[in-house]
Amino acid sequence: AAPSTATFLSFRSRGNALPQTRPSAVRFGSRYSLVSFSGLKEVTSVNCETESSFIGKESSTALRGSFALKARKANRGSRYGLQLVASYKVAILGAAGGIGQPLALLIKMSPLVSALNLYDIANVKGVGADLSHCNTPSQVLDFTGASELGDCLKGANVVVIPAGVPRKPGMTRDDLFNINANIVMTLVEAVADNCPDAFIHIISNPVNSTVPIAAEVLKQKDVYNPKKLFGVTTLDVVRANTFVAQKKNLKLIDVDVPVIGGHAGITILPLLSKTKPTVSFTDEEVEQLTVRIQNAGTEVVEAKAGAGSATLSMAYAAARFVESSLRALDGDGDVYECSYVQSDLTNLPFFASRIKLGRNGVEALIPSDLIGLSEYEEETLEALKPELKASIEKGIAFVQKQPVTA
């Protein structure tokens, strides 16, 4: 079964309201989260009750050590022990959409967030009103239309862009290009003007092209920082982990499958030979799992029969990546994710691989995943490069033909 976002950190308190949450201490999406959303209290004791997690086992272990250390420090200066103060602002552009709404809910649940700004061209006011009734610390504000976009972005630490049209039956990611390319270009211009230092998370498809589009816009605005621009490919990892765990009857918390390449069809390459824990696959299993992970988006589109695409799993995966970014911003030194970023690991300018995240964004690329690949993975990697290269060039050409306003 897929990992549960059910929560599992027990708060025992004397009834004093928690003023706000300290970002590093209690982490949504890690092994530590709130046991219930009926009320946030100051902590006197912590009880870890499950192994479900947004993140992997090793990171969870590191978090536990970090949590214990900060709890001890807090106990020296607080009557009740741990005092938590949230301090990060997250802006979601496209918050009224199929991905945006569940993503906004998941981020609203995070104690690392003090301000959640929601933007869309329509229908976002109701989403904001609805979410604002959830008794978690972050303040929700809604912004509608181009005239309010700048205000939404001012001061944002993380900007998430799921805006765009969804896939429909028979539609490829390439079919989305012209519509979504213009949307991403416009939104990233606004990010460049209002919060150029923010982490930018691109979800709008086709990610293989929209990330290069964003990079070109930021370059023309003279604010491009390749360490802070991310294509969110976390859903490929989430799917790979889930499918492998199901196939091999493993506990999901233990499974970690790096996924490299891009974020569309054959450009998605799960490195099953690098699966943790070590597990053996037949050649047939490798091919079946690889193809299923590559086509999982189509699987959902067809199952919804024209009613939408992979919105819920995408929101879950995006929330995981937002959580990881916030942990990194807060100084956690053990944050690793796969993401589509500017890269020199191959001869392609952008490439998805495992990265280490830090306060300044991409702290390091992890080249070891590309060493010692199986023969099948080596061949598949070489086969995906021409298609990924063409998608990158298509995105760059799109901006160069329609230069942004400096």
Side-chain angles (χ1 to χ4, degrees):
S4 170
T5 55
T7 52
F8 28 81
L9 182 69
S10 291
F11 278 2
R12 312 203 189 283
S13 107
R14 295 182 175 86
N16 287 52
L18 181 70
Q20 290 226 311
T21 52
R22 167 73 185 151
S24 317
V26 182
R27 301 195 185 279
F28 164 68
S30 69
R31 295 170 97 102
Y32 307 104
S33 194
L34 307 176
V35 74
S36 119
F37 304 115
S38 59
L40 301 179
K41 306 291 184 179
E42 283 193 322
V43 177
T44 55
S45 67
V46 177
N47 178 28
C48 187
E49 298 174 345
T50 183
E51 292 185 334
S52 295
S53 178
F54 252 169
I55 59 176
K57 189 175 184 180
E58 293 176 5
S59 294
S60 294
T61 302
L63 277 179
R64 184 184 293 112
S66 172
F67 178 85
L69 176 63
K70 296 194 178 193
R72 285 197 297 272
K73 289 180 178 178
N75 273 327
R76 292 197 289 267
S78 165
R79 177 182 175 188
Y80 295 105
L82 190 63
Q83 288 194 344
L84 312 170
V85 180
S87 59
Y88 297 111
K89 178 184 286 188
V90 176
I92 302 176
L93 310 185
I99 296 170
Q101 290 195 46
L103 174 58
L105 173 61
L106 292 171
I107 294 176
K108 179 71 170 82
M109 292 160 58
S110 172
L112 294 95
V113 178
S114 59
L116 178 58
N117 287 3
L118 310 178
Y119 171 83
D120 217 313
I121 57 173
N123 304 320
V124 72
K125 189 169 292 293
V127 177
D130 199 357
L131 279 179
S132 70
H133 294 176
C134 300
N135 62 326
T136 62
S138 56
Q139 180 185 17
V140 178
L141 295 175
D142 61 87
F143 302 83
T144 302
S147 63
E148 297 183 4
L149 178 55
D151 290 336
C152 173
L153 291 167
K154 283 182 172 60
N157 302 106
V158 176
V159 178
V160 192
I161 306 180
V165 297
R167 291 174 67 197
K168 296 178 181 178
M171 181 184 287
T172 67
R173 283 187 170 88
D174 198 53
D175 293 330
L176 305 177
F177 180 82
N178 286 326
I179 298 173
N180 288 356
N182 276 297
I183 292 171
V184 169
M185 183 172 169
T186 300
L187 295 176
V188 174
E189 283 187 59
V191 173
D193 291 337
N194 293 281
C195 55
D197 292 328
F199 284 19
I200 306 171
H201 295 185
I202 305 292
I203 297 173
S204 307
N205 277 317
V207 166
N208 291 353
S209 297
T210 53
V211 171
I213 286 171
E216 288 301 303
V217 170
L218 294 167
K219 286 176 186 177
Q220 292 191 24
K221 289 282 191 176
D222 200 27
V223 293
Y224 179 48
N225 183 345
K227 295 182 178 182
K228 294 187 176 183
L229 177 62
F230 308 90
V232 181
T233 61
T234 318
L235 180 54
D236 300 324
V237 176
V238 166
R239 286 167 168 161
N241 291 350
T242 301
F243 299 163
V244 167
Q246 290 171 342
K247 185 76 172 177
K248 294 298 182 178
N249 197 28
L250 300 171
K251 291 172 64 177
L252 264 165
I253 184 64
D254 294 331
V255 179
D256 180 29
V257 182
V259 182
I260 65 170
H263 186 57
I266 67 164
T267 69
I268 299 168
L269 176 55
L271 299 181
L272 297 171
S273 69
K274 304 286 186 177
T275 297
K276 293 183 181 179
T278 302
V279 61
S280 62
F281 299 94
T282 66
D283 291 346
E284 184 180 14
E285 286 176 328
V286 168
E287 186 169 356
Q288 287 177 346
L289 281 167
T290 299
V291 170
R292 188 182 178 199
I293 293 161
Q294 290 173 339
N295 296 329
T298 301
E299 183 179 311
V300 175
V301 169
E302 291 175 350
K304 291 190 174 182
S309 57
T311 54
L312 300 177
S313 54
M314 184 64 247
Y316 171 87
R320 163 175 158 165
F321 195 75
V322 170
E323 168 69 13
S324 293
S325 294
L326 294 175
R327 286 173 47 216
L329 282 167
D330 193 47
D332 191 326
D334 188 44
V335 184
Y336 295 85
E337 289 283 0
C338 289
S339 182
Y340 182 65
V341 297
Q342 181 174 307
S343 174
D344 59 4
L345 294 183
T346 69
N347 58 354
L348 298 167
F350 294 90
F351 192 77
S353 67
R354 194 191 306 272
I355 61 173
K356 182 176 183 181
L357 285 162
R359 281 197 169 105
N360 296 314
V362 179
E363 194 169 282
L365 304 174
I366 310 300
S368 58
D369 285 337
L370 275 68
I371 298 172
L373 301 181
S374 69
E375 183 179 351
Y376 175 85
E377 289 164 349
E378 290 278 11
E379 291 174 355
T380 307
L381 175 57
E382 290 307 310
L384 71 81
K385 287 181 179 179
E387 181 165 328
L388 185 52
K389 181 174 184 287
S391 296
I392 293 168
E393 291 174 349
K394 186 174 183 178
I396 293 171
F398 178 83
V399 180
Q400 291 178 346
K401 292 174 185 174
Q402 304 178 59
V404 303
T405 304

